[in-house]
Amino acid sequence: MRVMQTLCSLFLLAAAAPAPAETVGAVDTAFQLLGPDHKVVVEVFDDPLVGGVSCYLSRAKTGGLKGAIGLAEDKAESSVACRQVGPLSFKGKLPRQEEVFSERASIFFKHVRVVRMVDAKRNALVYLVYSDRLVDGSPKNSVTAVPVPAAQPLPLR
C-alpha cells in the first residue's frame, strides 16, 4: 500500500512539473574560436494544464569553452510568445499563478522561468518570462497573453 502511495505521489509530481522544451532553431550571434558560438535559441513548450496553448521562448545561450562544458552563465535576456495552436481545453482547475517552465541558465542557482497568471476579469492567460538567481535576479522580462473565448470560463482553483 505504501509503495502504491509513493508511486502515485511521484506520478502527480511529474504531471505537475514544468513543461520540457524542444528546440525550434538557433542563430549564431558571436563567433568563438574554441567551443560553440554564442547564440539565440528558440524553444517551444506546451502549457501542461492548458491544451491548445504553446509558448515560444527565445533566449541567449553562451558558447565558448565554458558553454561547451556547461560552466557558462547565460544572459538574463529572453522573450516569450504564447499562442493558441488548437482548441482550448483545461486539464483541471488552474491556480491564479503557476510556473509552467524552468530551465537552468548557469551551473549554479540561475534559472529562466515562465509563469502563467490568470486574468479572470478579462478571461485571459498571461505568461511572464524572467530570470532569477539565488542572490540577485534580473528585472529583464517579457510578457504575452492568450485570450480565452468569453463563452469558455476559466476553471480557477
Side-chain angles (χ1 to χ4, degrees):
M1 184 70 162
R2 190 112 167 116
V3 171
M4 192 61 141
Q5 287 177 334
T6 303
L7 287 174
C8 286
S9 296
L10 288 173
F11 175 76
L12 289 173
L13 281 174
E22 60 186 80
T23 300
V24 174
V27 295
D28 291 348
T29 59
F31 172 76
Q32 296 295 298
L33 186 59
L34 298 173
D37 292 344
H38 298 320
K39 56 186 70 193
V40 173
V41 176
V42 176
E43 300 168 314
V44 63
F45 66 90
D46 298 322
D47 188 315
L49 287 183
V50 183
V53 173
S54 294
C55 294
Y56 295 86
L57 179 67
S58 68
R59 60 195 185 105
K61 288 271 197 165
T62 304
L65 286 177
K66 284 185 178 181
I69 60 175
L71 295 177
E73 183 172 315
D74 295 333
K75 294 183 186 255
E77 297 155 1
S78 54
S79 179
V80 67
C82 297
R83 299 292 184 261
Q84 182 178 346
V85 295
L88 290 180
S89 63
F90 300 99
K91 301 169 187 168
K93 294 192 179 274
L94 300 178
R96 293 218 174 256
Q97 183 171 313
E98 178 180 34
E99 184 174 284
V100 293
F101 176 84
S102 177
E103 192 166 297
R104 72 178 185 90
S106 74
I107 191 165
F108 296 113
F109 313 121
K110 186 174 183 181
H111 290 87
V112 173
R113 301 184 189 278
V114 178
V115 174
R116 177 196 341 99
M117 300 172 190
V118 177
D119 182 354
K121 181 178 178 182
R122 291 161 193 84
N123 220 44
L125 302 170
V126 179
Y127 296 84
L128 169 74
V129 64
Y130 69 100
S131 178
D132 70 358
R133 206 188 219 165
L134 183 63
V135 176
D136 180 25
S138 172
K140 295 178 181 177
N141 63 80
S142 176
V143 68
T144 187
V146 176
V148 177
Q152 189 172 13
L154 290 164
L156 289 174
R157 278 189 196 160

